[in-house]
Coordinates of all heavy atoms in Angstrom, one line a residue:
D1 N 0.9 -1.2 0.0 CA 0.0 0.0 0.0 C 0.9 1.2 0.0 O 1.6 1.5 1.0 CB -0.9 0.0 1.2 CG -2.0 1.1 1.1 OD1 -1.7 2.2 0.6 OD2 -3.1 0.8 1.6
Q2 N 0.9 2.0 -1.1 CA 1.7 3.2 -1.2 C 1.5 4.2 -0.2 O 2.3 5.1 0.1 CB 1.6 3.7 -2.6 CG 2.3 2.9 -3.7 CD 3.8 3.0 -3.5 OE1 4.4 4.0 -3.2 NE2 4.5 1.8 -3.6
R3 N 0.3 4.2 0.4 CA 0.0 5.2 1.4 C 0.9 5.1 2.6 O 1.0 6.1 3.4 CB -1.5 5.1 1.9 CG -2.5 5.5 0.8 CD -3.9 5.2 1.2 NE -4.1 3.8 1.5 CZ -5.2 3.4 2.2 NH1 -6.1 4.2 2.6 NH2 -5.3 2.1 2.4
N4 N 1.6 4.0 2.8 CA 2.5 3.9 4.0 C 3.8 4.6 3.7 O 4.7 4.6 4.6 CB 2.7 2.4 4.3 CG 1.6 1.8 5.0 OD1 0.6 2.4 5.4 ND2 1.7 0.5 5.3
D5 N 3.9 5.3 2.6 CA 5.0 6.2 2.3 C 4.6 7.6 2.3 O 5.2 8.5 1.7 CB 5.8 5.8 1.0 CG 7.2 6.4 0.9 OD1 7.8 6.7 1.9 OD2 7.6 6.5 -0.2
E6 N 3.5 7.9 2.9 CA 2.9 9.3 2.8 C 3.5 10.2 3.9 O 3.7 11.4 3.8 CB 1.4 9.3 3.0 CG 0.7 8.9 1.7 CD -0.8 8.9 1.9 OE1 -1.3 9.0 3.1 OE2 -1.5 8.9 0.9
N7 N 3.8 9.6 5.1 CA 4.5 10.3 6.1 C 5.6 9.4 6.8 O 5.4 8.2 6.8 CB 3.6 11.0 7.1 CG 3.0 10.0 8.1 OD1 3.7 9.5 9.0 ND2 1.7 9.7 8.0
L8 N 6.6 10.0 7.4 CA 7.8 9.3 7.8 C 7.5 8.4 9.0 O 8.1 7.3 9.1 CB 8.9 10.3 8.1 CG 10.3 9.7 8.2 CD1 10.6 8.9 6.9 CD2 11.3 10.9 8.3
I9 N 6.6 8.8 9.9 CA 6.4 7.9 11.0 C 5.7 6.6 10.6 O 6.1 5.5 11.0 CB 5.6 8.6 12.1 CG1 6.3 9.9 12.6 CG2 5.3 7.7 13.3 CD1 5.6 10.8 13.6
V10 N 4.7 6.7 9.7 CA 4.0 5.5 9.2 C 5.0 4.6 8.4 O 5.1 3.4 8.5 CB 2.8 5.8 8.4 CG1 2.3 4.6 7.7 CG2 1.7 6.4 9.3
A11 N 5.9 5.3 7.6 CA 6.9 4.6 6.8 C 7.8 3.8 7.8 O 8.2 2.7 7.5 CB 7.6 5.6 5.9
Q12 N 8.3 4.5 8.8 CA 9.2 3.8 9.8 C 8.5 2.7 10.5 O 9.1 1.6 10.8 CB 9.8 4.8 10.7 CG 10.7 5.8 10.1 CD 12.1 5.2 9.9 OE1 12.9 5.1 10.8 NE2 12.4 4.8 8.6
L13 N 7.2 2.8 10.8 CA 6.4 1.8 11.4 C 6.3 0.6 10.4 O 6.4 -0.6 10.9 CB 5.0 2.3 11.8 CG 4.1 1.3 12.6 CD1 4.8 0.9 13.9 CD2 2.8 1.9 12.9
H14 N 6.1 0.8 9.2 CA 6.1 -0.2 8.2 C 7.4 -1.0 8.2 O 7.5 -2.2 8.1 CB 5.8 0.4 6.8 CG 5.5 -0.7 5.7 ND1 4.3 -0.8 5.2 CD2 6.3 -1.6 5.1 CE1 4.3 -1.8 4.3 NE2 5.5 -2.3 4.2
V15 N 8.5 -0.2 8.3 CA 9.9 -0.9 8.3 C 9.9 -1.8 9.6 O 10.5 -2.9 9.5 CB 11.0 0.2 8.4 CG1 12.3 -0.5 8.6 CG2 11.0 0.9 7.0
A16 N 9.4 -1.4 10.7 CA 9.4 -2.2 11.9 C 8.7 -3.5 11.7 O 9.1 -4.5 12.2 CB 8.8 -1.4 13.0
F17 N 7.6 -3.5 11.0 CA 6.9 -4.7 10.7 C 7.7 -5.6 9.7 O 7.7 -6.8 9.9 CB 5.5 -4.4 10.1 CG 4.4 -4.2 11.1 CD1 4.2 -2.9 11.6 CD2 3.7 -5.3 11.6 CE1 3.2 -2.7 12.5 CE2 2.7 -5.0 12.5 CZ 2.4 -3.8 13.0
L18 N 8.4 -5.0 8.7 CA 9.2 -5.8 7.9 C 10.3 -6.5 8.7 O 10.6 -7.7 8.5 CB 9.9 -4.9 6.8 CG 9.0 -4.1 5.9 CD1 9.8 -3.2 5.0 CD2 8.1 -5.1 5.0
K19 N 10.9 -5.8 9.6 CA 12.0 -6.3 10.4 C 11.5 -7.4 11.4 O 12.2 -8.4 11.6 CB 12.7 -5.2 11.1 CG 13.6 -4.3 10.3 CD 14.3 -3.3 11.1 CE 15.3 -2.5 10.3 NZ 16.1 -1.6 11.1
A20 N 10.3 -7.2 11.9 CA 9.8 -8.1 12.9 C 9.5 -9.5 12.1 O 9.8 -10.5 12.7 CB 8.5 -7.6 13.5
H21 N 9.0 -9.4 10.9 CA 8.8 -10.6 10.2 C 10.1 -11.3 9.9 O 10.2 -12.6 10.1 CB 8.1 -10.3 8.8 CG 8.1 -11.5 7.9 ND1 7.1 -12.5 7.9 CD2 9.0 -11.9 6.9 CE1 7.5 -13.4 7.0 NE2 8.6 -13.1 6.4
N22 N 11.1 -10.6 9.5 CA 12.4 -11.2 9.1 C 13.0 -11.9 10.4 O 13.6 -12.9 10.3 CB 13.3 -10.2 8.5 CG 12.8 -9.8 7.1 OD1 11.9 -10.4 6.5 ND2 13.4 -8.7 6.6
K23 N 12.8 -11.2 11.5 CA 13.4 -11.8 12.8 C 12.6 -13.1 13.1 O 13.2 -14.1 13.6 CB 13.3 -10.8 13.9 CG 14.0 -11.3 15.2 CD 14.2 -10.2 16.2 CE 14.9 -10.7 17.5 NZ 15.0 -9.7 18.5
L24 N 11.3 -13.1 13.0 CA 10.6 -14.3 13.2 C 11.0 -15.4 12.3 O 11.2 -16.6 12.8 CB 9.1 -14.0 13.0 CG 8.3 -13.2 14.1 CD1 7.0 -12.8 13.6 CD2 8.2 -14.0 15.4
V25 N 11.3 -15.2 11.1 CA 11.8 -16.2 10.2 C 13.1 -16.8 10.7 O 13.3 -18.0 10.7 CB 12.0 -15.6 8.7 CG1 12.8 -16.6 7.9 CG2 10.6 -15.4 8.1
R26 N 14.0 -15.9 11.1 CA 15.3 -16.4 11.6 C 15.2 -17.2 12.8 O 15.8 -18.3 13.0 CB 16.2 -15.2 11.8 CG 16.6 -14.5 10.5 CD 17.8 -13.5 10.7 NE 17.4 -12.4 11.6 CZ 16.9 -11.3 11.1 NH1 16.6 -11.1 9.8 NH2 16.6 -10.3 12.0
L27 N 14.3 -16.8 13.7 CA 14.1 -17.6 15.0 C 13.4 -18.9 14.8 O 13.7 -19.9 15.5 CB 13.3 -16.7 16.0 CG 14.1 -15.5 16.5 CD1 13.2 -14.7 17.5 CD2 15.4 -15.8 17.2
I28 N 12.5 -18.9 13.8 CA 11.8 -20.2 13.5 C 12.8 -21.1 12.8 O 12.9 -22.3 13.1 CB 10.6 -19.9 12.5 CG1 9.5 -19.2 13.3 CG2 10.1 -21.2 11.9 CD1 8.4 -18.7 12.5
R29 N 13.7 -20.6 11.9 CA 14.7 -21.5 11.2 C 15.6 -22.0 12.3 O 16.1 -23.2 12.1 CB 15.4 -20.7 10.2 CG 14.6 -20.5 8.9 CD 15.6 -20.1 7.7 NE 16.4 -19.0 8.0 CZ 16.4 -17.8 7.4 NH1 15.5 -17.6 6.5 NH2 17.2 -16.9 7.8
S30 N 16.0 -21.2 13.3 CA 17.0 -21.7 14.2 C 16.4 -22.6 15.3 O 17.1 -23.2 16.1 CB 17.6 -20.5 14.9 OG 16.7 -19.8 15.8
G31 N 15.1 -22.7 15.4 CA 14.4 -23.5 16.4 C 14.1 -22.7 17.7 O 13.6 -23.3 18.6
E32 N 14.5 -21.5 17.8 CA 14.3 -20.7 19.0 C 12.8 -20.5 19.2 O 12.3 -20.3 20.3 CB 15.1 -19.4 19.0 CG 16.6 -19.6 19.1 CD 17.3 -18.3 19.0 OE1 17.2 -17.5 19.9 OE2 18.0 -18.0 17.9
I33 N 12.1 -20.4 18.1 CA 10.6 -20.4 18.2 C 10.1 -21.7 17.5 O 10.4 -21.9 16.3 CB 10.0 -19.1 17.4 CG1 10.4 -17.8 18.1 CG2 8.5 -19.3 17.3 CD1 9.9 -16.6 17.4
P34 N 9.5 -22.5 18.3 CA 9.1 -23.8 17.7 C 8.1 -23.7 16.6 O 7.2 -22.8 16.6 CB 8.4 -24.6 18.9 CG 8.9 -23.8 20.1 CD 9.2 -22.4 19.7
S35 N 8.3 -24.5 15.5 CA 7.4 -24.5 14.4 C 6.1 -25.2 14.8 O 6.1 -26.3 15.4 CB 8.0 -25.1 13.2 OG 7.1 -25.2 12.1

């Protein structure tokens, strides 16, 4: 959704969700979060 690049705070919040997903992937792959 391009509207998440309309103001910087929402854009940075979108980045936080991107990073949270990627961290979840890494923890699931490593077994720290059980699948």
